[in-house]
Amino acid sequence: MAIQKTRTIPNEDPRVIHVIDNSRRYAYTRAADVANEGPCDVVSLQHEFGLYPEEWGCRVLDFMRNCEKPIVTTFHTLLTQPEALPRRLVQNLAAQSAGVIVMTHVAARLLAEVYGVSDSSVQVIPHGVPQVPFERVADSKSQVGLAGRRVICTFGLINKGKGLEYMIRAMPQIIAACPEAIYLIVGVTHPQVKRQEGEVYREGLIELAESLGVGQHVRFVNKYLSLAELLAHLQACDVFVTPYPGKDQIASGTMAYAMAAVGAVVSTPYLYAEEVLADGRGLLVPFGDSDAMANATLRLLTDRALFAETRRRAYRYATPMFWPNVGRQYLDFFSQVVAENQNTSPQLFRKDSEPSSETDSSPLLRGGL
């Protein structure tokens, strides 16, 4: 079931069995009906606060209350110091789920210590990544027009929360020591940000690079890439950087991809990075510290032994994250949940038996569930 927020979802996509229109009053009640009427044994709910309508995405509770199939919820974001409403929302989602998945051990600890969710229904399954070879193709840089360059890369939807300005400010120091370096920023502006602000952030980054005299060493790939195109860019990359300014991020698909396809990573110490880059699998630098970013990047660009060992450790860590391995873990957990709930009344998975309405979820949460 695909959520429609900013653009029309193609009707011909065979993967989409139902479109959830966030602008419609009873969209999530209807989605629950579709799940109930369909042949599925279990529902996999991917939870991110920004996906769902109303305050903190409370509208998703319409689905939870009305879905009669066992639900396995994957939490993509958990705040370390949540306000009362998002804390109760996470607790409510977990209570109404037959199983919960998080992608890191630190997220499992957060669930237990901050949200009070800790039992055998919580599983740690890593973020999936494409299966890629460790050895690079000889002409990988030529394939993306970067032959002879030392490539630093960031990819993902662009918005002010990515901290890209800190890495651009690191570029003069990097170029002074490594003149062939180029910083590749791959990705379009986040569609919701573009609707509200246009390209103000990207244009500001371009102006910043020009003002620092590094405009020729910062390149934007401003388009959606296919998986093959994305992997081609990543495998042409020498050092991957995530300069994010916020600590609370407990999962990062870009970081996961980079560990498999690049292997030499510099990052600020947000929660996901702290866990996956530990034990020599990458270099961590303080938040907002452009000098430290420059120094760490140059270490990987100039120290061949460090570069090779970091790549080797990152790839070894990423191997269990390859999609076939992660898919098997999900399937095994789904099968376990279905087996455990075969003889359980569907009412177990409903918060109440009252019909849903447009205004019932948020007051319910505010009541202190």
Side-chain angles (χ1 to χ4, degrees), residues 3-15:
I3 297 174
Q4 181 173 300
K5 294 183 68 176
T6 60
R7 57 179 180 162
T8 302
I9 297 167
N11 293 328
E12 65 273 13
D13 192 328
R15 298 170 300 173

PDB file of all heavy atoms in Angstrom, residues 3-15:
ATOM      1  N   ILE A   3       1.683   5.337   0.011  1.00  0.00           N
ATOM      2  CA  ILE A   3       1.147   6.606   0.523  1.00  0.00           C
ATOM      3  C   ILE A   3       1.342   7.690  -0.531  1.00  0.00           C
ATOM      4  O   ILE A   3       2.457   7.900  -1.006  1.00  0.00           O
ATOM      5  CB  ILE A   3       1.840   7.003   1.835  1.00  0.00           C
ATOM      6  CG1 ILE A   3       1.554   5.960   2.919  1.00  0.00           C
ATOM      7  CG2 ILE A   3       1.387   8.381   2.294  1.00  0.00           C
ATOM      8  CD1 ILE A   3       2.325   6.196   4.195  1.00  0.00           C
ATOM      9  N   GLN A   4       0.267   8.359  -0.879  1.00  0.00           N
ATOM     10  CA  GLN A   4       0.337   9.452  -1.857  1.00  0.00           C
ATOM     11  C   GLN A   4       0.399  10.772  -1.106  1.00  0.00           C
ATOM     12  O   GLN A   4      -0.522  11.139  -0.395  1.00  0.00           O
ATOM     13  CB  GLN A   4      -0.890   9.415  -2.761  1.00  0.00           C
ATOM     14  CG  GLN A   4      -0.899  10.504  -3.824  1.00  0.00           C
ATOM     15  CD  GLN A   4      -2.052  10.319  -4.787  1.00  0.00           C
ATOM     16  OE1 GLN A   4      -2.143   9.295  -5.456  1.00  0.00           O
ATOM     17  NE2 GLN A   4      -2.946  11.286  -4.841  1.00  0.00           N
ATOM     18  N   LYS A   5       1.531  11.483  -1.293  1.00  0.00           N
ATOM     19  CA  LYS A   5       1.706  12.748  -0.595  1.00  0.00           C
ATOM     20  C   LYS A   5       1.948  13.906  -1.550  1.00  0.00           C
ATOM     21  O   LYS A   5       1.307  14.938  -1.461  1.00  0.00           O
ATOM     22  CB  LYS A   5       2.884  12.649   0.387  1.00  0.00           C
ATOM     23  CG  LYS A   5       2.647  11.672   1.531  1.00  0.00           C
ATOM     24  CD  LYS A   5       3.804  11.653   2.505  1.00  0.00           C
ATOM     25  CE  LYS A   5       3.900  12.959   3.264  1.00  0.00           C
ATOM     26  NZ  LYS A   5       4.951  12.933   4.291  1.00  0.00           N
ATOM     27  N   THR A   6       2.916  13.755  -2.440  1.00  0.00           N
ATOM     28  CA  THR A   6       3.312  14.902  -3.249  1.00  0.00           C
ATOM     29  C   THR A   6       3.168  14.677  -4.738  1.00  0.00           C
ATOM     30  O   THR A   6       3.263  15.607  -5.509  1.00  0.00           O
ATOM     31  CB  THR A   6       4.786  15.267  -2.965  1.00  0.00           C
ATOM     32  OG1 THR A   6       5.614  14.138  -3.298  1.00  0.00           O
ATOM     33  CG2 THR A   6       4.971  15.638  -1.515  1.00  0.00           C
ATOM     34  N   ARG A   7       2.967  13.444  -5.186  1.00  0.00           N
ATOM     35  CA  ARG A   7       2.813  13.216  -6.613  1.00  0.00           C
ATOM     36  C   ARG A   7       1.973  11.970  -6.830  1.00  0.00           C
ATOM     37  O   ARG A   7       1.844  11.128  -5.954  1.00  0.00           O
ATOM     38  CB  ARG A   7       4.177  13.072  -7.306  1.00  0.00           C
ATOM     39  CG  ARG A   7       5.039  11.969  -6.726  1.00  0.00           C
ATOM     40  CD  ARG A   7       6.344  11.875  -7.473  1.00  0.00           C
ATOM     41  NE  ARG A   7       7.200  10.824  -6.934  1.00  0.00           N
ATOM     42  CZ  ARG A   7       8.205  10.301  -7.576  1.00  0.00           C
ATOM     43  NH1 ARG A   7       8.485  10.711  -8.795  1.00  0.00           N
ATOM     44  NH2 ARG A   7       8.954   9.373  -7.034  1.00  0.00           N
ATOM     45  N   THR A   8       1.427  11.849  -8.017  1.00  0.00           N
ATOM     46  CA  THR A   8       0.575  10.717  -8.340  1.00  0.00           C
ATOM     47  C   THR A   8       1.401   9.446  -8.468  1.00  0.00           C
ATOM     48  O   THR A   8       2.477   9.449  -9.059  1.00  0.00           O
ATOM     49  CB  THR A   8      -0.184  10.976  -9.652  1.00  0.00           C
ATOM     50  OG1 THR A   8      -0.946  12.173  -9.494  1.00  0.00           O
ATOM     51  CG2 THR A   8      -1.104   9.819  -9.980  1.00  0.00           C
ATOM     52  N   ILE A   9       0.903   8.371  -7.912  1.00  0.00           N
ATOM     53  CA  ILE A   9       1.572   7.083  -8.014  1.00  0.00           C
ATOM     54  C   ILE A   9       1.066   6.376  -9.266  1.00  0.00           C
ATOM     55  O   ILE A   9      -0.148   6.271  -9.473  1.00  0.00           O
ATOM     56  CB  ILE A   9       1.287   6.229  -6.766  1.00  0.00           C
ATOM     57  CG1 ILE A   9       1.871   6.930  -5.530  1.00  0.00           C
ATOM     58  CG2 ILE A   9       1.862   4.820  -6.904  1.00  0.00           C
ATOM     59  CD1 ILE A   9       1.400   6.347  -4.225  1.00  0.00           C
ATOM     60  N   PRO A  10       1.959   5.910 -10.144  1.00  0.00           N
ATOM     61  CA  PRO A  10       1.522   5.283 -11.399  1.00  0.00           C
ATOM     62  C   PRO A  10       0.599   4.095 -11.151  1.00  0.00           C
ATOM     63  O   PRO A  10       0.913   3.207 -10.367  1.00  0.00           O
ATOM     64  CB  PRO A  10       2.838   4.836 -12.046  1.00  0.00           C
ATOM     65  CG  PRO A  10       3.899   5.689 -11.412  1.00  0.00           C
ATOM     66  CD  PRO A  10       3.418   5.951 -10.018  1.00  0.00           C
ATOM     67  N   ASN A  11      -0.540   4.084 -11.816  1.00  0.00           N
ATOM     68  CA  ASN A  11      -1.497   2.987 -11.650  1.00  0.00           C
ATOM     69  C   ASN A  11      -0.954   1.662 -12.157  1.00  0.00           C
ATOM     70  O   ASN A  11      -1.372   0.606 -11.704  1.00  0.00           O
ATOM     71  CB  ASN A  11      -2.805   3.324 -12.384  1.00  0.00           C
ATOM     72  CG  ASN A  11      -3.538   4.497 -11.752  1.00  0.00           C
ATOM     73  OD1 ASN A  11      -3.457   4.689 -10.544  1.00  0.00           O
ATOM     74  ND2 ASN A  11      -4.231   5.269 -12.564  1.00  0.00           N
ATOM     75  N   GLU A  12       0.001   1.735 -13.097  1.00  0.00           N
ATOM     76  CA  GLU A  12       0.460   0.497 -13.714  1.00  0.00           C
ATOM     77  C   GLU A  12       1.511  -0.236 -12.872  1.00  0.00           C
ATOM     78  O   GLU A  12       1.942  -1.317 -13.237  1.00  0.00           O
ATOM     79  CB  GLU A  12       1.037   0.790 -15.106  1.00  0.00           C
ATOM     80  CG  GLU A  12       2.297   1.652 -15.124  1.00  0.00           C
ATOM     81  CD  GLU A  12       2.024   3.142 -15.143  1.00  0.00           C
ATOM     82  OE1 GLU A  12       0.848   3.524 -14.899  1.00  0.00           O
ATOM     83  OE2 GLU A  12       2.957   3.918 -15.389  1.00  0.00           O
ATOM     84  N   ASP A  13       1.936   0.358 -11.757  1.00  0.00           N
ATOM     85  CA  ASP A  13       2.940  -0.300 -10.915  1.00  0.00           C
ATOM     86  C   ASP A  13       2.313  -1.539 -10.272  1.00  0.00           C
ATOM     87  O   ASP A  13       1.417  -1.426  -9.432  1.00  0.00           O
ATOM     88  CB  ASP A  13       3.434   0.661  -9.830  1.00  0.00           C
ATOM     89  CG  ASP A  13       4.679   0.145  -9.109  1.00  0.00           C
ATOM     90  OD1 ASP A  13       4.807  -1.095  -8.969  1.00  0.00           O
ATOM     91  OD2 ASP A  13       5.509   0.962  -8.693  1.00  0.00           O
ATOM     92  N   PRO A  14       2.777  -2.724 -10.645  1.00  0.00           N
ATOM     93  CA  PRO A  14       2.115  -3.948 -10.160  1.00  0.00           C
ATOM     94  C   PRO A  14       2.303  -4.192  -8.670  1.00  0.00           C
ATOM     95  O   PRO A  14       1.586  -4.995  -8.078  1.00  0.00           O
ATOM     96  CB  PRO A  14       2.789  -5.051 -10.990  1.00  0.00           C
ATOM     97  CG  PRO A  14       4.128  -4.491 -11.349  1.00  0.00           C
ATOM     98  CD  PRO A  14       3.909  -3.022 -11.538  1.00  0.00           C
ATOM     99  N   ARG A  15       3.248  -3.481  -8.061  1.00  0.00           N
ATOM    100  CA  ARG A  15       3.476  -3.681  -6.630  1.00  0.00           C
ATOM    101  C   ARG A  15       2.413  -3.009  -5.771  1.00  0.00           C
ATOM    102  O   ARG A  15       2.232  -3.359  -4.610  1.00  0.00           O
ATOM    103  CB  ARG A  15       4.858  -3.128  -6.235  1.00  0.00           C
ATOM    104  CG  ARG A  15       6.033  -3.801  -6.922  1.00  0.00           C
ATOM    105  CD  ARG A  15       7.313  -3.021  -6.660  1.00  0.00           C
ATOM    106  NE  ARG A  15       7.217  -1.656  -7.164  1.00  0.00           N
ATOM    107  CZ  ARG A  15       8.137  -0.715  -6.958  1.00  0.00           C
ATOM    108  NH1 ARG A  15       9.216  -0.987  -6.236  1.00  0.00           N
ATOM    109  NH2 ARG A  15       7.984   0.493  -7.460  1.00  0.00           N
TER     110      ARG A  15
END
